[in-house]
Amino acid sequence: MKPGIHPAYEPVVFRDRAAGFAFLTRSTATGDKTVEWEDGRTYPVIDVEISSASHPFYTGTQRIVDTAGRVERFERRYGSGRGAR
């Protein structure tokens, strides 16, 4: 690898403010704000809108769409479309 062309890969805290969840990882992204982590060190923090703690897929609160009900409602409203031309 060529020296001096790669961005710095350093520890960063990603924080989901909606869920009150944060995790420490390494990233090339940096933030302007800092936070003191559990180990006593200060790390840059990046606030995110959604994470695994607040995403409906991971929390199990996702809504399942009833596609069969939609088709039946469409057919009731507009007819089945068969033979009507």
Side-chain angles (χ1 to χ4, degrees):
M1 292 191 330
K2 292 184 179 179
I5 63 169
H6 300 286
Y9 187 65
E10 299 174 347
V12 177
V13 174
F14 285 91
R15 179 173 53 190
D16 182 354
R17 291 191 153 253
F21 176 70
F23 59 95
L24 177 66
T25 187
R26 296 177 59 88
S27 177
T28 58
T30 60
D32 297 333
K33 299 180 247 175
T34 59
V35 67
E36 187 173 331
W37 192 245
E38 300 163 354
D39 61 1
R41 293 182 174 180
T42 303
Y43 297 103
V45 64
I46 298 174
D47 291 323
V48 294
E49 294 181 23
I50 199 159
S51 70
S52 61
S54 61
H55 193 279
F57 178 79
Y58 296 106
T59 59
T61 59
Q62 71 183 30
R63 287 176 262 149
I64 298 178
V65 178
D66 180 19
T67 55
R70 288 185 175 193
V71 170
E72 290 168 359
R73 187 174 44 197
F74 178 83
E75 287 181 353
R76 271 195 318 249
R77 194 176 285 172
Y78 301 108
S80 65
R82 296 184 184 132
R85 283 198 176 200

